[in-house]
C-alpha cells in the first residue's frame, strides 16, 4: 500500500507540474509606451515653462456668449477706440473672419484681411479727407506669424496686441504683444503674453481700456464649438507672477488655466471697485447713444456732436482736445496707482517711485495748462465762426 501511495503522489506531481509552470509564465499585458515626437516634447516643455511663469492678474468676471455675437459685447470707451468686424466697419461681405481696431481719433485703423490662399495678414490705413488710404502691411508682423488676426493698438500708439498661431503658440491662437519702433518704422519681435491669458485652446482679442483700467480677452477654452468666453480683468502696471514654491504646483495649474476665477480676487476690494467702474462705463455708453458730448460754446450754445462744429479745422481740434483730456485722465489714474503703491511699498520701492511720481506730477500740470489754453482758443474761434 505504501508503494502505491508513493506512486500516486509521483503521478500527481508529474500532472500538476506543467500547469504550475504555465501559471508562472502568465504575465499581465503592459500598455504600449507611446513615444512623443520631438515637437510634442517641446510643446509640453513650453506649456510647463508658461505655467510656472503664470501672471498674477485679477479676473473680475467672465461671460459665455455665442461667438458670432462677440463684437456686440466688446463695447469700449469711445475715448479709447473701437473694435469691430471688418465687414461691418467697411460695409463689406468679403472678409467674414477679419477684425478692425480703430483709434480714439478715428483717423487710423489696424485690421486683418484674408488673402486668396486663405492666409491672414495685418494692415494699417489712415483716414485722410473723406476716405481711407491704401492698406499698408504691418512691417515686422506681416510675414513672421501664422494667421495673424484680432489686432488692437493701445492709446499710446505703440503697444500692439494681436493673436496668431505657429511655433510660439501652445494651442490654436495665442495672444502676442509687440511695440512699434518709430525709428525703424517697424514692429519689434512680438512676445507670447503667456498664461493665464493663453491656453491650449484658442485665445485672442486682447483689448485694454487704460482710462478705466479694465481689460478683456476672449477664449474658447472649455466651450462648445459655437461659444466663447469673454474674461474681464484688471491690467497690471508691471508684470507680476506667482511663486510655485509658495502656492504649490496644483494651485499654480489652477491659476494658469483659470479653472476658478474667484481664486484671483484676493479680498475682493479691487474687484468691487473695478465692477463699479465697469458699470459706470456702461451707463456713460448709454448716455452717449443720446448725445456724444457736452461742449459749452457760450451761454446759449452747447455742442453735442462733432458735426455741430462749423469748420473742418475746429472739428479736428476738438478731437485733439478730447485726446488731451483723455491723456490727462490716464496720467491721473497712473499717479493714483503709483501713490498707493508708494504708501504700501518698501524703502527701496519708495526711493524708485519718488522721482517717477514727481516727474509725472510736473507733466500732469503742463498737460492741464496746455489743454485749458487750447480749449479756450477753440471756444473763441467757434464763437467767431457763428458770429457771436
Amino acid at each position: 500500500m505504501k508503494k502505491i501511495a508513493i506512486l500516486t503522489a509521483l503521478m500527481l506531481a508529474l500532472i500538476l507540474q506543467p500547469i504550475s509552470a504555465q501559471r508562472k509564465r502568465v504575465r499581465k499585458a503592459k500598455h504600449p509606451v507611446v513615444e512623443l515626437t520631438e515637437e510634442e516634447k517641446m510643446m509640453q516643455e513650453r506649456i510647463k515653462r508658461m505655467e510656472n511663469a503664470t501672471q498674477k492678474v485679477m479676473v473680475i468676471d467672465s461671460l459665455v456668449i455665442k461667438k458670432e455675437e462677440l463684437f456686440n459685447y466688446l463695447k469700449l470707451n469711445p475715448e479709447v477706440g473701437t473694435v469691430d468686424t471688418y465687414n461691418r466697419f467697411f460695409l463689406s461681405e468679403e472678409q467674414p473672419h477679419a477684425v478692425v481696431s480703430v483709434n480714439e481719433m478715428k483717423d487710423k485703423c489696424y485690421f486683418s484681411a484674408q488673402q486668396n490662399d486663405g492666409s491672414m495678414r495685418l494692415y494699417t490705413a489712415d483716414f485722410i479727407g473723406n476716405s481711407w488710404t491704401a492698406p499698408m502691411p504691418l512691417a515686422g508682423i506681416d510675414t513672421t506669424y501664422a494667421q495673424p488676426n484680432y489686432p488692437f493698438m493701445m492709446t499710446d500708439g505703440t503697444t500692439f496686441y494681436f493673436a496668431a498661431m505657429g511655433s510660439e503658440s501652445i494651442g490654436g491662437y495665442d495672444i502676442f504683444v509687440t511695440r512699434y519702433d518709430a525709428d525703424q518704422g517697424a514692429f519689434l519681435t512680438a512676445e507670447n503674453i503667456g498664461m493665464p491669458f493663453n491656453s491650449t485652446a484658442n485665445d485672442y482679442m486682447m483689448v485694454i481700456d487704460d482710462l478705466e483700467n479694465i481689460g478683456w480677452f476672449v477664449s474658447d477654452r472649455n466651450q462648445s464649438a459655437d461659444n466663447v468666453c469673454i474674461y474681464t480683468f484688471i491690467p497690471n502696471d508691471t508684470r507680476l507672477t506667482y511663486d510655485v514654491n509658495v502656492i504649490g504646483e496644483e494651485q499654480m495649474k489652477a491659476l494658469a488655466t483659470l479653472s476658478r476665477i474667484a481664486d484671483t480676487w484676493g479680498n475682493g476690494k479691487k474687484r468691487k471697485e473695478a465692477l463699479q467702474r465697469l458699470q459706470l462705463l456702461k451707463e456713460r455708453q448709454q448716455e452717449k447713444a443720446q448725445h456724444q458730448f457736452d461742449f459749452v460754446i457760450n451761454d446759449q450754445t452747447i455742442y453735442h456732436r462733432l458735426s455741430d462744429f462749423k469748420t473742418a479745422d475746429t472739428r479736428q481740434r476738438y478731437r485733439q482736445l478730447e485726446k488731451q483730456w483723455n491723456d490727462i485722465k490716464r496720467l491721473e489714474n497712473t499717479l493714483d496707482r503709483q501713490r498707493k503703491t508708494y504708501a504700501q511699498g518698501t524703502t527701496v520701492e519708495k526711493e524708485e517711485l519718488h522721482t517717477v511720481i514727481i516727474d509725472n506730477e510736473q507733466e500732469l500740470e503742463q498737460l492741464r495748462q496746455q489743454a485749458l489754453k487750447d480749449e479756450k482758443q477753440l471756444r473763441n474761434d467757434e464763437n467767431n465762426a457763428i458770429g457771436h
Side-chain angles (χ1 to χ4, degrees):
M1 292 294 293
K2 185 176 182 182
K3 288 182 179 180
I4 293 173
I6 294 172
L7 182 60
T8 302
L10 288 172
M11 290 177 66
L12 286 171
L14 289 172
I15 293 171
L16 294 174
Q17 185 175 2
I19 297 174
S20 176
Q22 185 179 16
R23 286 176 177 169
K24 288 181 180 179
R25 287 196 297 270
V26 172
R27 296 288 186 270
K28 290 184 178 180
K30 293 183 178 179
H31 293 291
V33 177
V34 179
E35 290 291 335
L36 297 178
T37 65
E38 288 301 317
E39 184 177 351
E40 289 171 336
K41 290 178 182 178
M42 291 175 63
M43 177 64 74
Q44 285 190 349
E45 292 174 359
R46 187 181 302 121
I47 292 172
K48 190 63 178 177
R49 286 198 303 271
M50 283 193 185
E51 186 179 297
N52 289 336
T54 296
Q55 290 192 52
K56 186 183 294 185
V57 59
M58 185 180 295
V59 179
I60 63 173
D61 199 7
S62 61
L63 177 66
V64 176
I65 62 166
K66 293 294 183 183
K67 184 177 181 179
E68 62 188 22
E69 299 176 358
L70 171 60
F71 292 96
N72 294 332
Y73 287 86
L74 286 178
K75 297 297 186 182
L76 303 178
N77 192 329
E79 287 79 9
V80 172
T82 59
V83 289
D84 207 342
T85 65
Y86 180 105
N87 284 353
R88 188 156 59 185
F89 182 79
F90 286 116
L91 302 178
S92 167
E93 296 181 356
E94 300 176 354
Q95 296 287 342
H97 307 296
V99 174
V100 181
S101 168
V102 186
N103 69 349
E104 70 276 18
M105 298 288 288
K106 298 179 177 59
D107 60 2
K108 193 173 188 65
C109 72
Y110 299 85
F111 61 93
S112 56
Q114 191 171 33
Q115 312 302 297
N116 291 333
D117 61 1
S119 64
M120 301 294 290
R121 294 186 71 180
L122 295 178
Y123 298 88
T124 185
D126 298 298
F127 193 79
I128 297 177
N130 295 314
S131 63
W132 291 97
T133 59
M136 293 292 294
L138 297 190
I141 299 177
D142 56 327
T143 58
T144 306
Y145 301 90
Q147 298 296 97
N149 202 349
Y150 306 101
F152 179 74
M153 174 64 81
M154 293 280 290
T155 54
D156 61 9
T158 300
T159 308
F160 185 73
Y161 290 95
F162 66 98
M165 301 180 179
S167 59
E168 296 302 315
S169 300
I170 59 172
Y173 271 109
D174 273 17
I175 302 170
F176 291 80
V177 62
T178 180
R179 286 170 177 76
Y180 183 72
D181 186 340
D183 294 332
Q184 298 295 325
F187 286 89
L188 302 175
T189 301
E191 297 179 359
N192 188 311
I193 64 173
M195 294 178 169
F197 302 106
N198 289 323
S199 68
T200 54
N202 290 297
D203 308 280
Y204 50 93
M205 206 62 263
M206 171 72 80
V207 175
I208 296 177
D209 184 333
D210 55 1
L211 279 175
E212 305 298 339
N213 197 35
I214 293 174
W216 297 265
F217 71 96
V218 181
S219 178
D220 63 14
R221 66 186 78 177
N222 306 318
Q223 302 302 322
S224 63
D226 297 329
N227 291 344
V228 295
C229 183
I230 303 176
Y231 289 94
T232 308
F233 69 98
I234 302 176
N236 294 320
D237 291 329
T238 57
R239 183 187 175 96
L240 304 172
T241 59
Y242 293 101
D243 187 343
V244 67
N245 296 318
V246 174
I247 66 175
E249 291 189 3
E250 184 176 346
Q251 180 66 3
M252 177 68 92
K253 188 171 184 177
L255 291 165
T257 57
L258 292 179
S259 61
R260 216 176 80 94
I261 64 172
D263 291 342
T264 70
W265 293 349
N267 61 16
K269 181 181 178 182
K270 288 186 177 180
R271 177 178 182 262
K272 183 178 179 180
E273 294 172 347
L275 289 173
Q276 289 173 345
R277 295 197 302 273
L278 191 59
Q279 181 59 35
L280 289 173
L281 174 59
K282 292 178 179 178
E283 292 174 1
R284 287 200 302 274
Q285 288 174 339
Q286 291 174 354
E287 291 176 3
K288 281 184 176 293
Q290 302 300 322
H291 60 265
Q292 296 176 356
F293 53 77
D294 294 315
F295 186 73
V296 177
I297 299 300
N298 53 56
D299 292 340
Q300 291 80 38
T301 308
I302 299 178
Y303 286 176
H304 301 296
R305 291 177 174 79
L306 202 60
S307 58
D308 291 340
F309 287 91
K310 305 308 177 188
T311 68
D313 175 64
T314 51
R315 284 194 289 272
Q316 181 62 27
R317 284 162 57 194
Y318 180 78
R319 284 180 171 179
Q320 184 61 37
L321 182 63
E322 277 190 321
K323 185 177 186 304
Q324 288 174 267
W325 284 116
N326 289 335
D327 288 342
I328 288 169
K329 185 176 179 180
R330 290 186 189 96
L331 189 52
E332 287 174 339
N333 291 342
T334 299
L335 264 170
D336 184 56
R337 293 194 296 270
Q338 289 173 342
R339 287 166 179 152
K340 289 180 180 178
T341 302
Y342 180 89
Q344 301 170 358
T346 64
T347 302
V348 174
E349 290 172 334
K350 287 182 176 181
E351 289 177 356
E352 293 176 349
L353 278 172
H354 179 74
T355 303
V356 175
I357 290 174
I358 290 178
D359 289 344
N360 282 340
E361 287 174 339
Q362 293 175 347
E363 182 183 357
L364 180 60
E365 182 59 28
Q366 292 173 358
L367 289 173
R368 282 173 177 161
Q369 293 299 323
Q370 186 62 51
L372 289 170
K373 179 181 177 181
D374 292 345
E375 182 176 314
K376 181 179 180 180
Q377 187 61 53
L378 174 60
R379 186 173 288 111
N380 289 340
D381 290 347
E382 192 64 16
N383 271 301
N384 289 333
I386 61 178
H388 188 277

